[in-house]
Each structure stands twice: as C-alpha cells, then as structure tokens.
C-alpha cells in the first residue's frame, strides 16, 4: 500500500476510466492503479487497453503499467493495438510495442514481424518492433538455457 491506497479504490478508478474525463485525469487514475500491488488492478488496466479515446493515449498509459507488471494477459490486445493505425496514433502503438518487448511473450512475434516487414505502413515503428522482437527472442533463449 502507498499512502493507504488499496483494493478498495479500484472501483472508483474504474468508474473514472469508463467516464467522460480528460486524458490527464484518466492517466492519473491509471498511474494510481500502478501503485496498487497484487493482481487487483490488472482487470481494470486490461479494460483500459481497449480505450481508443485521445488517439489511444489512455491505452498507452495502461500498456505502460501492464508492461511494468509483465502481464501476459495483455499480449493479444497489445498485438491488436500495434496493427491498428486507424484507432491508435503512432506514439500509442509505440507504447504497445515496447510493452510487448518487456513482457517477452512469443505470441507477439507474428504481429511484430508484420510491423517490421511493412515499413511503408508502419514507418519508424518498424525499428522499435525489431528491438521488441529481439528482446522476446533473447528472453526465450534465456528461458531455454535455464530449463524453463
């Protein structure tokens, strides 16, 4: 707990994230969820990944927190985000790419490869996707060497 913040605050924060509030207020709610240890905030952060308001900036904030926690349940939504320039601006997709690299789940390799191979569509994100791709491969090799 930080400053008395615990699981009881999760529902009010969920209401903020689903309401009509500014990006700044929603980002603060997500950062506050990040201070709560344990699994309790994860479902709310996963819900926030689907938020396409503000060009996907709310989703980007959620992606950052999920990456810190290495939440594997986020991989499918993050993969969807990186391939969706219609609903998510480039910087939001960049957060999703970096988060996929942090999580290290091999399910992300296909979508990352798609971004890498289509630099005409994805531009600078292709280089970032390559770094995330390499990071996942390294994590897989490390797990293999350690018998995991």
């Amino acid at each position: 707990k930080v400053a008395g913040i615990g699981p009881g605050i999760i529902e009010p924060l969920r209401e903020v994230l689903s309401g009509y509030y500014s990006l700044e207020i929603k980002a603060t709610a997500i950062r506050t969820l990040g201070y709560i240890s344990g699994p309790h905030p994860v479902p709310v952060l996963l819900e926030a990944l689907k938020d396409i308001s503000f060009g996907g900036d709310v989703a980007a904030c959620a992606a950052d927190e999920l990456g810190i926690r290495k939440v594997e349940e986020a991989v499918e939504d993050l993969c969807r985000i990186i391939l969706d320039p219609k609903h998510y601006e480039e910087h939001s997709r960049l957060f999703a790419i970096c988060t996929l690299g942090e999580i290290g789940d091999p399910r992300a390799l296909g979508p990352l490869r798609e971004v890498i191979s289509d630099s005409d569509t994805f531009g600078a994100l292709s280089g970032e996707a390559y770094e995330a791709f390499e990071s996942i491969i390294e994590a897989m090799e490390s797990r293999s060497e350690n018998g995991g």
Side-chain angles (χ1 to χ4, degrees):
K1 281 186 177 181
V2 172
I5 296 175
I9 197 168
I10 291 173
E11 194 53 41
L13 292 172
R14 180 191 309 262
E15 290 173 18
V16 167
L17 289 170
S18 64
Y20 296 101
Y21 294 96
S22 70
L23 173 60
E24 189 173 300
I25 290 173
K26 288 186 173 197
T28 300
I30 289 171
R31 281 193 306 275
T32 303
L33 286 166
Y35 290 121
I36 302 170
S37 61
H40 304 293
V42 171
V44 181
L45 293 169
L46 290 169
E47 285 174 30
L49 275 183
K50 294 174 175 57
D51 188 333
I52 59 172
S53 64
F54 306 103
D57 284 354
V58 174
C61 293
D64 192 37
E65 289 297 334
L66 289 162
I68 291 167
R69 292 171 179 264
K70 297 190 184 306
V71 176
E72 292 180 358
E73 295 96 314
V75 170
E76 287 181 27
D77 283 330
L78 292 166
C79 289
R80 178 185 46 78
I81 289 169
I82 68 172
L83 298 173
D84 186 359
K86 180 179 176 187
H87 295 106
Y88 298 91
E89 292 181 10
E90 185 171 306
H91 63 277
S92 298
R93 290 181 286 132
L94 175 61
F95 269 91
I97 287 169
C98 293
T99 299
L100 287 168
E102 289 174 22
I103 293 172
D105 190 306
R107 293 177 293 164
L109 293 174
L112 287 170
R113 188 173 48 242
E114 191 172 330
V115 173
I116 293 165
S117 65
D118 190 357
S119 60
D120 290 340
T121 300
F122 296 103
L125 292 177
S126 293
E128 298 297 332
Y130 182 79
E131 288 183 28
F133 189 94
E134 279 190 324
S135 178
I136 294 170
I137 296 297
E138 288 172 12
M140 290 170 59
E141 288 172 349
S142 175
R143 284 191 293 263
S144 174
E145 289 171 4
N146 295 327

